[in-house]
Amino acid sequence: TEGKQADVMFHVKGSPPLQAHRTVLCAASNLFRRLFGVQKKVDLHLVGGPVSNAGQARSLRSPISMKQVNSGEVPGLELMQCGHCCADGVKDMVCFTVSDSIGASTFR
């Protein structure tokens, strides 16, 4: 999902950086809800996407901190950075370096 509204970037070995949207990641993944501190499952129909499990908001398990990611406690992620980390100075960009065991095809 290339574009100026992207607020997440993944650095994957052997691939150019991949951009994503925090809202979409949180709608699709409990891991990203925990990483971004989202308390309930995002309902995609509210952001113009298909309805998925509408009305079935799930409570957040314990949040995952940047420190936990950067110390290797989150399988698949090696590094998490926030701020002007990588994308043309986008202030709220969050960047992840993905483990070598995860290829770019995972994101397609």
Side-chain angles (χ1 to χ4, degrees):
T1 306
E2 299 280 336
K4 294 183 187 230
Q5 292 82 20
D7 55 3
V8 178
M9 185 166 299
F10 293 95
H11 295 279
V12 181
K13 185 177 182 178
S15 174
L18 304 167
Q19 295 184 2
H21 299 273
R22 195 176 309 203
T23 303
V24 175
L25 293 170
C26 289
S29 167
N30 185 49
L31 172 70
F32 286 103
R33 286 191 292 277
R34 292 174 66 198
L35 280 165
F36 295 125
V38 174
Q39 295 296 318
K40 299 203 181 263
K41 185 169 182 179
V42 177
D43 201 348
L44 278 177
H45 83 280
L46 297 175
V47 292
V51 177
S52 173
N53 299 323
Q56 296 180 13
R58 295 184 215 155
S59 294
L60 174 72
R61 294 189 343 207
S62 61
I64 299 172
S65 70
M66 185 176 353
K67 181 179 178 180
Q68 287 173 290
V69 172
N70 294 342
S71 66
E73 295 178 43
V74 181
L77 298 176
E78 293 181 353
L79 181 64
M80 178 179 179
Q81 298 174 296
C82 297
H84 299 281
C85 57
C86 50
D88 299 326
V90 175
K91 183 168 55 173
D92 296 325
M93 181 69 71
V94 176
C95 299
F96 293 98
T97 300
V98 178
S99 301
D100 289 347
S101 61
I102 298 175
S105 62
T106 302
F107 295 88
R108 291 188 171 86

